[in-house]
Structures are given as C-alpha cells and as structure tokens.
C-alpha cells in the first residue's frame, strides 16, 4: 500500500510539473498529452487514494481549461490576421480597378 501511495504521488507530481511547463508555452507548441495521460491513469487506477484522484481531476481540468483558452486566442488571432489580409487584398483590388478606370478615361 505504501508503495502504491509513493507511485501515485510521483505520478501526480510529474503530471503537475509537465502541466506547468506546458501551460507556459504558446498554444501551437503545447503537447499536453503526457500530462493528460498521467492524470487519467491516476483517476482510473488509483481510486484507493481519493485525495490524489481529486487532485488529478483538478489538474486535468486546469490543463484542459488553459489549453482551450490558448486555442481560442490562437484561432481568434489567426482569424483576425486572415480578416486583415482580406481587407488589404480588397483595397489593393479596388485601387487597381480605380487605376484601370482612370486609364480608360484618359484614353
């Protein structure tokens, strides 16, 4: 029993350490799967340690929330850039059309 408690504590500490490291990264560099797998393992295989299971659930929720928030911000930024690029292209086309019209009038 003491051996399993030691295992779950090491696993939990490792999962939290990985979570902290991953949460510091930008979304497109995050690789949260190792921490998620560790939290899942604790939740499924160490039910005899309810306090550790609860901590694993909280850690998993924290990681998922952080990942989701970063993904949303990343996609919004990407969409904003695309929207800005679209606006720039439309302005360039409009400018070219205006230039073509001026040439036709001049001829």
């Amino acid at each position: 029993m003491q051996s399993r408690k030691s295992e779950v504590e090491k696993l939990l500490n490792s999962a939290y350490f990985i979570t902290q490291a991953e949460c510091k990264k930008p979304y497109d560099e995050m690789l949260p799967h190792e921490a998620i797998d560790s939290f899942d393992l604790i939740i499924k295989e160490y039910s005899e340690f309810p306090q550790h299971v609860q901590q694993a659930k909280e850690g998993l929720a924290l990681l998922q929330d952080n990942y989701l928030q970063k993904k949303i911000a990343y996609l919004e930024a990407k969409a904003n850039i695309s929207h800005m690029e679209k606006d720039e292209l439309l302005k360039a086309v409009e400018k070219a059309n205006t230039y073509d019209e001026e040439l036709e009038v001049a001829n």
Side-chain angles (χ1 to χ4, degrees), residues 57-102:
K57 288 179 180 179
E58 290 169 3
L60 182 58
L62 173 75
L63 177 59
Q64 289 174 329
D65 183 58
N66 185 279
Y67 185 78
L68 181 60
Q69 294 301 321
K70 287 188 178 204
K71 184 174 185 175
I72 290 168
Y74 174 81
L75 292 174
E76 285 176 345
K78 193 173 180 180
N80 191 30
I81 289 172
S82 296
H83 183 70
M84 288 172 48
E85 290 172 345
K86 178 183 167 189
D87 287 346
E88 288 176 13
L89 285 172
L90 288 174
K91 286 178 185 176
V93 168
E94 187 177 306
K95 196 174 191 180
N97 287 341
T98 303
Y99 181 72
D100 288 342
E101 289 171 7
E102 289 174 359

Side-chain angles (χ1 to χ4, degrees), residues 21-75:
E22 292 303 317
C23 286
K24 292 178 183 175
K25 296 177 182 178
Y27 163 75
D28 56 341
E29 294 177 14
M30 288 180 78
L31 299 171
H33 305 295
E34 186 177 352
I36 291 170
D37 291 345
S38 295
F39 287 133
D40 280 342
L41 181 64
I42 294 167
I43 293 165
K44 292 175 184 172
E45 301 294 327
Y46 292 90
S47 59
E48 69 268 28
F49 303 105
Q51 184 178 3
H52 294 84
V53 169
Q54 183 59 36
Q55 289 175 338
K57 288 179 180 179
E58 290 169 3
L60 182 58
L62 173 75
L63 177 59
Q64 289 174 329
D65 183 58
N66 185 279
Y67 185 78
L68 181 60
Q69 294 301 321
K70 287 188 178 204
K71 184 174 185 175
I72 290 168
Y74 174 81
L75 292 174

